[in-house]
Amino acid sequence: LAKTTQPISMDSYEGQEVNITCSHNNIATNDYITWYQQFPSQGPRFIIQGYKTKVTNEVASLFIPADRKSSTLSLPRVSLSDTAVYYCLVGDSLSGGYQKVTFGTGTKLQVIP
Amino acid sequence: NAGVTQTPKFRVLKTGQSMTLLCAQDMNHEYMYWYRQDPGMGLRLIHYSVGEGTTAKGEVPDGYNVSRLKKQNFLLGLESAAPSQTSVYFCASSYDPRSTGYSYEQYFGPGTRLTVT
């Protein structure tokens, strides 16, 4: 399976923009880059995915450079409610590994008042 | 739509007891998954299914069995519970990634918190 690497934890003050970068050097040409958010005692929730360049929705933005070997999740003006674990995922479609993905340990974001 | 539901929400077992966790989805998804999450850890895939009547092993399948007799349901069984199986169990479902351009959007249930003493 294509592997991802992201920081274990990050702290940010309320109102700041937070950028979480994930590296995925072995990403397949066909695969999307997907990010999930998990609050304590809840299941993960899909927040955004992209294939290239930039994607934006009501929750976050996702920046993907041309080589697609990394991606950056951007959370604008975070609040205390954004405290969560954020997971970056890619599949492995070329080797037939599209049937499952690996969540890893994610990045624990702590927003400070 | 209820999305993905899990039954029960909490359970305490004694070592050696058995139980079945039920997952149901109403989104007509082909794929279903069972994960476990230990405190402070990420999710680990136990078993998954790519369609009715099919199952496959994930990263940590030992001690668990699964069945998918109906497309909307995915059952996870523990035949002889052990303290090492104390965890939170999440079920998820998705469309076949090939039908969505290799998107990996999965929909998760609320989880089952299992304690084995």
Side-chain angles (χ1 to χ4, degrees):
Chain A
L1 291 176
K3 293 185 177 180
T4 61
T5 303
Q6 53 184 122
I8 293 174
S9 64
M10 296 179 69
D11 292 338
S12 176
Y13 288 102
E14 274 191 297
Q16 291 189 327
E17 178 183 75
V18 171
N19 295 310
I20 305 174
T21 297
C22 177
S23 66
H24 26 78
N25 293 323
N26 297 324
I27 187 171
T29 305
N30 292 339
D31 287 322
Y32 277 92
I33 298 154
T34 308
W35 286 79
Y36 285 81
Q37 175 190 57
Q38 186 180 25
F39 297 116
S41 301
Q42 295 186 23
R45 178 177 76 114
F46 168 89
I47 50 173
I48 198 167
Q49 70 179 8
Y51 184 75
K52 59 181 177 181
T53 63
K54 177 183 174 182
V55 180
T56 297
N57 62 21
E58 66 278 5
V59 176
S61 295
L62 181 61
F63 298 91
I64 304 167
D67 66 7
R68 301 195 344 115
K69 293 183 182 297
S70 67
S71 59
T72 299
L73 176 73
S74 181
L75 305 171
R77 298 179 297 281
V78 293
S79 65
L80 295 176
S81 63
D82 292 314
T83 293
V85 178
Y86 293 84
Y87 297 93
C88 162
L89 310 177
V90 298
D92 198 11
S93 60
L94 281 184
S95 63
Y98 60 86
Q99 296 175 343
K100 54 187 177 180
V101 292
T102 300
F103 272 81
T105 54
T107 297
K108 185 173 183 178
L109 172 65
Q110 180 68 52
V111 180
I112 305 164
Chain B
N1 288 347
V4 178
T5 58
Q6 294 183 232
T7 309
K9 290 185 170 55
F10 303 94
R11 186 72 185 268
V12 178
L13 289 179
K14 295 186 186 303
T15 297
Q17 287 184 320
S18 64
M19 77 163 294
T20 300
L21 282 68
L22 171 64
C23 175
Q25 53 96 5
D26 61 2
M27 295 171 282
N28 202 34
H29 286 162
E30 295 90 0
Y31 283 36
M32 296 187 75
Y33 313 82
W34 275 109
Y35 295 91
R36 63 175 287 175
Q37 186 171 38
D38 299 327
M41 304 290 288
L43 284 83
R44 293 186 291 172
L45 183 65
I46 306 171
H47 286 281
Y48 64 99
S49 168
V50 301
E52 182 178 318
T54 73
T55 63
K57 294 180 180 180
E59 181 185 355
V60 288
D62 293 342
Y64 305 96
N65 57 76
V66 288
S67 64
R68 186 133 180 239
L69 300 179
K70 294 183 179 180
K71 185 177 184 178
Q72 62 268 34
N73 295 337
F74 195 28
L75 278 63
L76 177 71
L78 286 74
E79 290 186 346
S80 180
S84 60
Q85 294 178 304
T86 294
S87 190
V88 180
Y89 292 85
F90 290 104
C91 175
S93 68
S94 75
Y95 291 111
D96 184 335
R98 293 172 297 178
S99 68
T100 59
Y102 295 103
S103 162
Y104 296 97
E105 181 175 357
Q106 298 181 9
Y107 295 77
F108 281 79
T112 295
R113 188 173 297 275
L114 175 66
T115 302
V116 182
T117 61

